[in-house]
Amino acid sequence: MASLKRSVDSDPLAANISNKIYVRSTKSGKVQKIVREVYLRQDIPCSSKLCQRCLVCAPKDASGKPTPFVLSDSPAGTKVFPQGHYLVPDTNAFLTAMDLFEQDSAFYDVIVLQIVLEELRNRSLPLYNRLVSLTKSEDKRFYVFFNEFRLETHVPRLEGETVNDRNDRAVRKAVAWYGEHLARIKEKDAPAIVMLSNDRDNLKKAKQEGINACSLADYVRQLKDGEKLLDMIPETQDQDQIKEKRPGDNLYPEYFTMSKMMTGVKNNLLHQGIFNVSPYNYLEGSIRVPAFPKALLVLGRENINRAVDGDLVVVEVLPKDQWKEPSIQVIEEDAITKNENPDAEESDDFVSEKERKALQEEVKRTHSKTTEGHAQPTAKVVGVIKRNWRQYVGHIDQSSVSQSAQQGRKQDSVFVIPMDKKIPKIRLRTRQVSELLGKRILVTIDAWDRSSRHPSGHFVRSLGELETKAAETEALLLEYDVQYRPFPKTVLDCLPKEGHDWKVPQSMEDPGWKDRQDLRDLLICSIDPIGCQDIDDALHSRPLPNGNFEVGVHIADVSHFVKPGNAMDAEASIRGTTVYLVDKRIDMLPMLLGTDLCSLKPYVERYAFSVVWEMTPDADVVGSRFTKSVIKSREAFSYEQAQLRVDDSSQQDDLTKSIRTLLALSKKLKQKRLDAGALSLSSPEVKVQMESETSDPIDVKTKVHLDTMSLVEEFMLLANTSVARRIYEAFPQTAILRRHGAPPKTNFDELANQLKVKRGLDLSVESSRALADSLDRCVDEKEPFFNTLVRIMATRCMMSAEYFCSGTQAYPEFRHYGLASEIYTHFTSPIRRYADLMAHRQLAAAIEYEAIHPSTRSRGKLEAVCKNINVRHRNAQLAGRASIAYYVGQALRGKATEEDGFVMKIFSNGFVVLVPRFGIESLIRLRDLAEVEPQAEFDAENYVLQTSGSREVKVELFQKVRVRVTDQKDETTGKRGVKMELVRTC
């Protein structure tokens, strides 16, 4: 057999060819060796504007112009490098201090080596994405140098050399080449090339080779205002200075090795899942795993073993005699750990006396006879597969600050209390204690050692004073990872050059009219909330000669303006959704599109994607078609305006008649859904009224449900279902769909028991139809809100709906449980949801309007898109709710009002009350009932809390109560919110 290996003698360019060897395992378990040739070049430029030599030989674009060089011809200097310098960080520098490189005050003219970028991608995708964003910034001047393909900087791996050592050597080689290259061009005062690393071995070798190299801390000290930037560098353990720790110094158990965990999970001896912390007890967590019908409980600091909410962990189930019940007590970290010394925490008892007392009652209850048989499988964390650490918003705990720290500039340890109560206190070392007190700050977790009770982290930046609108809004956006930066120039360049003057072409010969249907003569209107500017959808109906009706849903044709693969599409896919806050909207697409060119505003022609049905008077669909179209909306109604128009019998114009037809058909469509088992769930909904000039909140109103809201909802649901069937038919492996899994029956165990014990009601969960029927029977003639309360509680037992790629699930798993629909997608809101935009592209290809783009056909890419938009959609919902909670607190500032509330949850030391008037719930603790905390007896079997002593009161689940509602600043989180005081039970 002839060898395909290239001979050096036969190829004069063979010296410029290198081999890259990969080893990978196949699905069958075999090991496969892959050899790839790497062609080494000498025309990859250094990208310094000082270098004319590279400018001559640099690759040119189609017009013959070289790509503009990035690195400045007059880079900034420092105390050590006054002539100016370029930075070359290694992977370690980016992994440990990405926050530093994003600062506006420093870190310009940075050379990002290809080997570093690739290694960072393998180690941390979020950090890789942040670095890629920096390379696209014109201001920061980050240049990606492909050192692996440049002849002079390519480094083959030596025999016996580790991958890490080879990569470090490649970094040093590139730094040395840059220095020599620029020295030849500018012999005098050439910019220094400085390698940045926190790897001591790499720094040592660099200095031995005569290369300029600094640790991050040493480099930052050279900068102006470097003292402040030092706080952003994670603490590095200098092994020469740290005394050897005795085994007894470790507070937490050691994690299992990765191989031991994977073997245990494979053999079902260990279990893997997402760790969730209880919102009411920081010493209790839970993990859902397939092997158990109910979530595994994790109780106590030692069993939690440094897991943080959202981490992917591996747990070991404890022996049955150690199983316990879920906590019935509210245990808050701030109350238990207040006044801890952040400098002395390692020497303190691992489990504090307060924690022991707090958990003592739980142990007694678990072993009592009355609760025998209620214990749940309990586990301990033995390792973490993937950390869910992110940047956290919080404030410095005043009680952790020493007197000297408030006056001087020396580095001190303090505790930061995150806004999210599920996150533990973070130990922070900073020189800016006095400046940061009373501020909202952004921090990140760096490590959580076995010897430390709390995780340690570093300061990123200050957001501003606590309770200021700007700081609290930015804190909210950061906490829920909302992408709120302005749209970059590359995105804005994708917009139509005509701007707001763009119009649908008058000539139907224009390419924009290709295969579009002219529907401008139809009586089309939109119905939306008051003040809606991004109008995604509009509707029409008209009678047909055969007695049926033609009904159309017309959706903004966003895909005409946002093309697959361009910068605007990439930005929209990252943002995933528009986020609606009380006082602002964070758009997925630039405003020009969202509120103008795509928005189906009245009286102007707009491109649309239309779904048109023929329906019988009984709302049975007998035919449907999909078409790109041009429409001209006759009117943009608010829900209230449309309702008034429908109810006014004097209005007999054609447009009003069409709305009445739509309303009549929508009621029949809704009944068909309910008959099929669709759920009518509920959640507290309020609207914050703002003062027009100052945008300050002045009142809170409960949202009133109108028939016109159901009208729009029903036809949007029908359109989404129709499109889902069509795109699945065309693309059975890659259709973007939305599913809602049936919740495990155990999710409803607690609610079913509560209804049985307190009201004698049965909750059936065999199917969505059975659940819907039993929810309808949960009524209290004396209290109409009881049914709504039960539906709110039932909603919280549900699974979250999710986007998915059709090829990843079997057809029965497509089902949307809440809507009782076999198949479903999102199509009707492409201005504000990226999933809908993807569905538009797939539908356009399905009706052969345009060819399918590779990105809309690749299952791998679609799965990644679905994963991202699921997270973004959830975060947008949470951000919206948090915004309402914040502004409700602001609207009540300085006010006190008495309102009706309902008891939703009872603990042994408090109870949770929902106030429908404000759509909020709050915990009322025993200590809030009187100046001297009353004694209490909790009957967990019957959900009754009876107090005695300083105040006697009997509180029961589902009970109506009267509460005094005021505003209060939560000292734990620093957020202003609602405080409730029990006035009386009803």
Side-chain angles (χ1 to χ4, degrees):
M1 180 177 174
S3 172
L4 296 179
K5 187 173 181 180
R6 192 186 298 265
S7 166
V8 175
D9 297 330
S10 64
D11 190 344
L13 296 177
N16 288 10
I17 298 171
S18 179
N19 290 332
K20 208 167 187 178
I21 301 172
Y22 303 87
V23 177
R24 72 177 182 189
S25 58
T26 63
K27 288 183 180 179
S28 61
K30 295 180 180 178
V31 176
Q32 191 175 44
K33 182 179 179 181
I34 300 170
V35 180
R36 289 181 180 167
E37 288 187 339
V38 178
Y39 292 83
L40 304 180
R41 304 163 55 170
Q42 290 183 290
D43 61 347
I44 297 174
C46 67
S47 203
S48 170
K49 292 179 181 177
L50 289 167
C51 181
Q52 295 299 315
R53 186 174 173 183
C54 283
L55 195 62
V56 173
C57 64
K60 310 290 191 296
D61 61 18
S63 61
K65 295 180 181 177
T67 304
F69 280 12
V70 175
L71 304 173
S72 172
D73 53 5
S74 55
T78 67
K79 297 171 187 174
V80 178
F81 308 109
Q83 76 275 29
H85 68 293
Y86 297 147
L87 293 172
V88 185
D90 69 358
T91 310
N92 181 278
F94 286 123
L95 280 171
T96 57
M98 183 64 76
D99 300 320
L100 266 178
F101 293 95
E102 293 173 329
Q103 292 300 299
D104 292 332
S105 59
F107 294 91
Y108 290 82
D109 296 304
V110 176
I111 300 164
V112 181
L113 299 179
Q114 173 195 358
I115 189 72
V116 169
L117 195 64
E118 289 175 353
E119 190 176 0
L120 188 66
R121 182 173 188 170
N122 293 333
R123 300 277 294 277
S124 172
L125 196 56
L127 290 178
Y128 167 82
N129 289 331
R130 287 166 67 182
L131 182 55
V132 168
S133 295
L134 286 173
T135 64
K136 294 178 180 178
S137 167
E138 294 181 3
D139 297 330
K140 291 291 284 182
R141 302 190 295 277
F142 276 53
Y143 170 61
V144 179
F145 176 66
F146 289 88
N147 62 299
E148 293 287 82
F149 298 116
R150 175 102 194 185
L151 180 65
E152 297 91 337
T153 58
H154 176 79
V155 174
R157 185 175 166 190
L158 303 177
E159 188 175 347
E161 188 177 35
T162 66
V163 173
N164 187 61
D165 286 345
R166 182 260 169 191
N167 291 348
D168 287 346
R169 190 160 57 86
V171 172
R172 298 194 299 273
K173 176 85 170 177
V175 173
W177 176 81
Y178 254 99
E180 295 165 4
H181 178 73
L182 292 179
R184 286 198 297 270
I185 296 155
K186 190 177 180 182
E187 294 182 8
K188 191 176 181 182
D189 295 331
I193 310 300
V194 182
M195 186 185 87
L196 288 183
S197 177
N198 270 352
D199 185 321
R200 289 174 51 200
D201 187 55
N202 200 16
L203 287 172
K204 182 179 177 182
K205 288 178 179 176
K207 288 172 182 175
Q208 288 173 349
E209 295 169 14
I211 294 171
N212 293 317
C214 295
S215 68
L216 285 166
D218 289 341
Y219 174 75
V220 166
R221 288 189 186 98
Q222 303 172 26
L223 303 176
K224 188 179 179 182
D225 295 328
E227 284 287 307
K228 291 184 178 180
L229 294 178
L230 281 173
D231 283 350
M232 299 176 67
I233 300 174
E235 287 185 66
T236 54
Q237 290 193 334
D238 190 333
Q239 300 301 323
D240 294 336
Q241 296 178 10
I242 291 182
K243 62 180 181 181
E244 188 176 342
K245 289 186 178 290
R246 300 183 302 275
D249 291 338
N250 292 321
L251 304 175
Y252 292 98
E254 186 177 5
Y255 286 152
F256 287 3
T257 63
M258 188 63 72
S259 60
K260 185 175 181 179
M261 287 192 290
M262 292 299 97
T263 303
V265 169
K266 188 174 182 180
N267 295 325
N268 289 322
L269 299 173
L270 304 175
H271 305 277
Q272 178 179 311
I274 302 295
F275 180 72
N276 296 297
V277 176
S278 165
Y280 298 108
N281 181 352
Y282 80 103
L283 295 175
E284 175 182 296
S286 63
I287 299 163
R288 284 205 166 275
V289 298
F292 290 84
K294 276 194 171 184
L296 298 175
L297 285 179
V298 184
L299 295 171
R301 189 184 288 275
E302 184 173 0
N303 287 337
I304 290 174
N305 195 9
R306 296 168 286 158
V308 174
D309 187 66
D311 284 350
L312 179 61
V313 302
V314 171
V315 296
E316 180 179 26
V317 178
L318 297 173
K320 199 165 185 177
D321 61 349
Q322 295 181 39
W323 289 8
K324 295 184 173 67
E325 289 184 70
S327 174
I328 58 165
Q329 188 177 12
V330 178
I331 305 177
E332 296 170 305
E333 183 179 23
D334 186 57
I336 299 293
T337 63
K338 199 172 182 67
N339 298 316
E340 273 189 320
N341 182 350
D343 282 315
E345 64 164 359
E346 281 82 358
S347 61
D348 292 346
D349 288 339
F350 175 51
V351 180
S352 70
E353 192 62 31
K354 287 184 179 179
E355 286 177 347
R356 283 197 187 93
K357 287 181 180 178
L359 291 170
Q360 205 168 33
E361 186 179 329
E362 306 298 322
V363 176
K364 286 179 182 176
R365 187 171 62 91
T366 301
H367 291 94
S368 70
K369 292 181 181 178
T370 56
T371 60
E372 196 171 331
H374 292 286
Q376 282 185 214
T378 307
K380 63 178 181 180
V381 174
V382 296
V384 177
I385 301 289
K386 186 178 181 182
R387 288 290 191 186
N388 190 43
W389 291 350
R390 55 180 172 83
Q391 292 183 331
Y392 300 99
V393 179
H395 70 285
I396 291 177
D397 180 5
Q398 177 75 50
S399 69
S400 70
V401 179
S402 65
Q403 193 63 37
S404 60
Q406 297 186 46
Q407 298 169 353
R409 291 283 297 178
K410 72 182 184 71
Q411 192 175 45
D412 276 283
S413 292
V414 293
F415 282 129
V416 171
I417 303 176
M419 280 176 62
D420 186 348
K421 287 188 176 183
K422 292 183 175 185
I423 305 301
K425 292 197 295 191
I426 301 168
R427 195 172 55 142
L428 187 76
R429 289 186 63 79
T430 177
R431 297 164 180 79
Q432 306 174 64
V433 174
S434 58
E435 298 169 33
L436 298 179
L437 276 173
K439 300 275 182 68
R440 273 265 175 254
I441 62 173
L442 191 64
V443 300
T444 190
I445 295 178
D446 298 320
W448 196 343
D449 298 328
R450 292 176 61 198
S451 59
S452 175
R453 289 187 69 198
H454 298 277
S456 59
H458 68 265
F459 168 74
V460 177
R461 63 186 175 95
S462 170
L463 306 181
E465 296 287 338
L466 285 168
E467 294 200 82
T468 57
K469 188 186 292 187
E472 295 300 336
T473 300
E474 187 176 11
L476 186 152
L477 295 172
L478 287 166
E479 192 63 23
Y480 296 104
D481 194 23
V482 175
Q483 306 293 308
Y484 64 98
R485 63 178 184 142
F487 288 102
K489 184 177 180 297
T490 52
V491 171
L492 300 179
D493 287 344
C494 298
L495 294 169
K497 304 303 180 201
E498 302 91 338
H500 291 285
D501 295 328
W502 179 91
K503 290 181 176 61
V504 171
Q506 290 185 350
S507 171
M508 297 180 72
E509 300 301 317
D510 188 274
W513 273 90
K514 180 180 176 291
D515 294 334
R516 286 187 186 272
Q517 191 171 353
D518 187 354
L519 303 180
R520 291 175 293 181
D521 60 323
L522 295 178
L523 291 178
I524 295 172
C525 68
S526 60
I527 307 174
D528 291 285
I530 293 172
C532 179
Q533 294 178 300
D534 49 347
I535 303 174
D536 286 288
D537 54 86
L539 304 100
H540 90 273
S541 71
R542 62 179 177 180
L544 296 174
N546 62 1
N548 290 340
F549 295 96
E550 179 186 271
V551 177
V553 166
H554 312 276
I555 307 300
D557 188 7
V558 177
S559 60
H560 174 81
F561 297 94
V562 184
K563 299 301 182 185
N566 69 11
M568 185 153 52
D569 181 53
E571 183 72 17
S573 71
I574 292 170
R575 297 188 178 216
T577 182
T578 293
V579 181
Y580 293 90
L581 307 181
V582 169
D583 63 330
K584 65 169 63 179
R585 185 184 66 238
I586 313 297
D587 291 314
M588 182 184 82
L589 295 172
M591 191 176 290
L592 175 64
L593 293 185
T595 62
D596 191 359
L597 307 191
C598 290
S599 183
L600 303 182
K601 301 192 298 184
Y603 327 125
V604 293
E605 296 174 356
R606 287 288 179 257
Y607 285 148
F609 211 148
S610 300
V611 183
V612 183
W613 305 275
E614 181 181 341
M615 303 180 77
T616 68
D618 290 328
D620 293 322
V621 176
V622 295
S624 61
R625 59 190 173 89
F626 310 91
T627 179
K628 292 267 189 165
S629 60
V630 176
I631 67 168
K632 185 175 183 179
S633 175
R634 296 298 191 269
E635 194 60 70
F637 295 113
S638 67
Y639 290 125
E640 292 78 5
Q641 288 171 332
Q643 190 69 53
L644 288 170
R645 191 159 183 149
V646 167
D647 294 341
D648 185 354
S649 58
S650 66
Q651 297 267 14
Q652 294 297 326
D653 58 279
D654 289 342
L655 184 57
T656 304
K657 286 180 181 178
S658 74
I659 298 174
R660 289 190 183 120
T661 299
L662 289 168
L663 184 57
L665 291 170
S666 72
K667 289 179 178 179
K668 293 173 182 176
L669 285 171
K670 183 172 184 178
Q671 191 57 51
K672 289 176 189 288
R673 284 197 309 107
L674 294 176
D675 291 344
L679 296 173
S680 178
L681 299 173
S682 186
S683 59
E685 288 190 286
V686 296
K687 182 177 177 67
V688 180
Q689 288 189 327
M690 311 290 280
E691 207 281 321
S692 57
E693 291 185 8
T694 63
S695 293
D696 290 330
I698 54 175
D699 199 5
V700 182
K701 299 285 187 184
T702 305
K703 286 186 179 178
V704 179
H705 190 80
L706 302 171
D707 285 344
T708 47
M709 295 176 180
S710 287
L711 181 161
V712 175
E713 181 184 13
E714 290 305 320
F715 284 108
M716 296 307 114
L717 292 175
L718 183 61
N720 288 335
T721 306
S722 299
V723 170
R725 289 196 180 96
R726 186 68 184 86
I727 62 176
Y728 177 62
E729 180 185 303
F731 307 107
Q733 289 296 311
T734 55
I736 291 284
L737 303 174
R738 187 164 175 81
R739 64 187 292 268
H740 182 210
K745 292 179 182 179
T746 54
N747 281 23
F748 291 94
D749 284 355
E750 185 177 3
L751 178 58
N753 188 60
Q754 290 168 345
L755 289 168
K756 186 74 174 175
V757 170
K758 301 307 293 181
R759 297 298 167 95
L761 297 167
D762 290 319
L763 191 68
S764 177
V765 294
E766 280 72 30
S767 65
S768 60
R769 177 63 189 270
L771 178 58
D773 290 343
S774 57
L775 286 174
D776 288 340
R777 292 192 294 269
C778 292
V779 293
D780 183 340
E781 293 180 2
K782 297 178 182 178
E783 182 47 64
F785 187 77
F786 174 70
N787 184 259
T788 303
L789 179 65
V790 173
R791 290 181 189 276
I792 290 171
M793 296 171 74
T795 301
R796 298 177 184 182
C797 300
M798 294 290 175
M799 308 286 283
S800 295
E802 62 179 9
Y803 299 104
F804 70 103
C805 186
S806 57
T808 64
Q809 300 283 343
Y811 188 79
E813 299 301 316
F814 289 11
R815 183 174 175 79
H816 196 292
Y817 180 83
L819 297 174
S821 177
E822 285 187 5
I823 191 168
Y824 190 68
T825 193
H826 271 165
F827 167 79
T828 55
S829 297
I831 293 176
R832 61 185 180 90
R833 289 191 305 232
Y834 190 73
D836 302 55
L837 177 56
M838 297 291 286
H840 274 234
R841 290 170 180 165
Q842 292 186 335
L843 182 61
I847 65 173
E848 299 182 348
Y849 176 82
E850 62 187 5
I852 189 81
H853 189 270
S855 66
T856 318
R857 193 174 57 219
S858 166
R859 184 165 139 183
K861 289 182 179 179
L862 292 175
E863 285 181 42
V865 166
C866 288
K867 185 178 179 181
N868 178 63
I869 57 182
N870 282 327
V871 172
R872 297 296 179 193
H873 184 77
R874 178 67 176 156
N875 286 356
Q877 289 180 319
L878 295 174
R881 291 171 195 166
S883 178
I884 289 172
Y886 169 72
Y887 276 99
V888 167
Q890 293 297 310
L892 290 171
R893 195 162 189 168
K895 302 175 185 176
T897 178
E898 282 194 15
E899 300 290 341
D900 288 335
F902 295 86
V903 178
M904 292 186 73
K905 197 170 181 66
I906 296 191
F907 300 96
S908 61
N909 60 343
F911 50 95
V912 178
V913 174
L914 169 70
V915 175
R917 161 86 165 78
F918 299 128
I920 52 170
E921 56 195 79
S922 182
L923 175 67
I924 299 179
R925 304 167 187 82
L926 285 181
R927 65 174 185 261
D928 299 327
L929 296 177
E931 286 189 21
V932 178
E933 183 175 324
Q935 300 296 312
E937 185 176 329
F938 180 50
D939 182 354
E941 300 294 312
N942 295 300
Y943 306 100
V944 177
L945 180 65
Q946 177 75 58
T947 69
S948 59
S950 57
R951 184 174 180 182
E952 292 188 10
V953 66
K954 184 179 181 181
V955 180
E956 300 187 47
L957 189 67
F958 302 133
Q959 186 178 26
K960 187 176 181 178
V961 294
R962 192 72 176 169
V963 293
R964 180 177 294 106
V965 184
T966 57
D967 70 305
Q968 182 189 49
K969 180 181 174 183
D970 188 327
E971 295 303 325
T972 305
T973 63
K975 292 190 285 190
R976 182 165 296 279
V978 168
K979 179 187 178 183
M980 294 185 195
E981 297 173 17
L982 182 66
V983 177
R984 64 179 183 276
T985 57
C986 301

